Amino acid sequence: MNELTEGIFTDGLGFDGSSIRGWKGIEASDMLVMPDPGTTFVDPFSKYPTLSLICDIEDPLTREPYDRSPRGIAKKAEAYLKTTDAGDTCFCGPEAEFFIFDDVRFGGASNHASYSVDSNEGIWNTNKEEFPSLGYKIRHKEGYLPVAPNDKLVDIRNEMILTMMELGIEIEREHHEVATAGQAEIDIRYSSLLKCADKMCIYKYVVKNVAYRHGKTATFMPSPSSATTAPACTRTSPLESRQAHLPRRRLRRPVQKRALFHRRPPQALPRPLRHYEPDQ
């Protein structure tokens, strides 16, 4: 803690940008991390008390935000939105899905390549000796909202949720997802783009570390098994704007207007909605 001074929030801390693939070449590798004091939290997984912060990235010479930093891009997107007539704020409500595996293996050499993932929930383990084998395997595409003992991950998901809540992340719901082999979903409460992105970084950190603490591996990879439903990250992202063009004397409080909501037929949709294409 002796190195935690007010100066690091204005001067930043240097690091080697060339060590991050795709960021900087070795000839221009000096970069700065600028800690954001509003993102501070105590790491719940470290043996010794550890303070964690989310940082912005800057060029040490120009002090301009780095154009490949995801957090910097999110800030630019929020600033640009305010200059348009589409809205003032973009809210994001992600519904992230992931797998929790009991065994993960991969390998490769000049003459072979292989990988395998396994889960004690997997339907392919119905004939596996498990000392004892009790059944309760989830069939393909029948994993949506099962209960115990088919759903064997309730306690792990609850531990993930409680840890996130301790770190200030509001949780809406959780459940087992469609696929066999430990597919899960935990939904967090919507917030603005940048705040939501920061929360999702902590979300993934918590999910992976809680799983690891239980001797399991959590992954957000798109499709770890060809026979299972692929995880997604569905998100709701309405744009809201304030009707600033109305006479002030008629406004008792700011009027919220959803730029992406319209009751008219598709051909009469407002321009912001026709140009807004959400994806996953």
Side-chain angles (χ1 to χ4, degrees):
M1 295 294 289
N2 294 334
E3 296 297 319
L4 183 63
T5 63
E6 292 184 6
I8 70 169
F9 296 102
T10 55
D11 302 329
L13 299 169
F15 76 101
D16 180 8
S18 67
S19 295
I20 302 175
R21 185 174 298 177
W23 271 40
K24 283 283 190 178
I26 189 65
E27 75 285 351
S29 60
D30 291 339
M31 304 187 77
L32 292 176
V33 290
M34 306 296 299
D36 183 343
T39 64
T40 305
F41 65 95
V42 177
D43 193 312
F45 303 106
S46 298
K47 181 178 179 180
Y48 302 104
T50 302
L51 194 68
S52 295
L53 302 95
I54 297 176
C55 301
D56 292 303
I57 310 298
E58 289 186 2
D59 185 289
L61 299 178
T62 65
R63 300 305 299 266
E64 291 292 323
Y66 182 48
D67 57 6
R68 295 185 187 179
S69 166
R71 198 166 195 262
I73 293 172
K75 284 187 172 183
K76 287 181 180 179
E78 288 188 325
Y80 174 74
L81 179 62
K82 294 181 185 299
T83 67
T84 71
D85 60 355
D88 299 313
T89 307
C90 176
F91 292 103
C92 295
E95 301 174 4
E97 301 170 7
F98 52 92
F99 276 96
I100 302 174
F101 291 125
D102 293 289
D103 189 74
V104 176
R105 305 184 189 198
F106 54 92
S110 59
N111 64 328
H112 72 89
S114 65
Y115 82 94
S116 68
V117 293
D118 202 5
S119 165
N120 59 9
E121 286 187 356
I123 188 61
W124 50 79
N125 285 324
T126 54
N127 198 36
K128 180 181 178 180
E129 181 59 69
E130 294 181 325
F131 308 101
S133 300
L134 300 177
Y136 299 113
K137 307 299 181 185
I138 297 175
R139 291 190 288 263
H140 288 299
K141 300 186 184 299
E142 294 186 16
Y144 199 62
L145 306 179
V147 296
N150 292 78
D151 181 359
K152 300 174 178 60
L153 302 171
V154 176
D155 291 337
I156 293 180
R157 294 197 305 272
N158 285 340
E159 184 176 333
M160 293 172 178
I161 287 173
L162 292 174
T163 305
M164 292 181 199
M165 292 174 65
E166 289 175 0
L167 299 178
I169 299 176
E170 295 181 90
I171 304 298
E172 290 189 339
R173 61 189 60 83
E174 62 83 17
H175 59 86
H176 199 288
E177 255 297 341
V178 175
T180 184
Q183 190 179 30
E185 177 179 319
I186 298 176
D187 304 339
I188 69 174
R189 182 68 55 84
Y190 73 90
S191 53
S192 63
L193 172 61
L194 181 63
K195 290 182 179 179
C196 185
D198 287 345
K199 290 177 183 178
M200 282 305 300
C201 290
I202 300 173
Y203 175 110
K204 295 176 72 174
Y205 183 70
V206 169
V207 166
K208 292 184 177 183
N209 277 279
V210 170
Y212 182 75
R213 189 155 60 189
H214 286 266
K216 301 178 185 294
T217 294
T219 177
F220 293 82
M221 67 184 301
S223 188
S225 171
S226 61
T228 58
T229 306
C233 185
T234 309
R235 54 107 174 95
T236 304
S237 53
L239 301 180
E240 289 194 357
S241 63
R242 296 176 182 274
Q243 297 181 22
H245 62 278
L246 295 179
R248 289 183 178 275
R249 55 186 173 80
R250 295 176 57 189
L251 291 177
R252 294 184 178 179
R253 62 176 181 271
V255 179
Q256 296 291 333
K257 175 183 177 182
R258 291 197 172 183
L260 300 185
F261 178 77
H262 218 271
R263 295 184 182 277
R264 285 186 256 174
Q267 61 271 22
L269 292 176
R271 185 175 181 181
L273 182 53
R274 285 186 278 116
H275 287 266
Y276 187 79
E277 181 181 356
D279 80 354
Q280 297 188 14

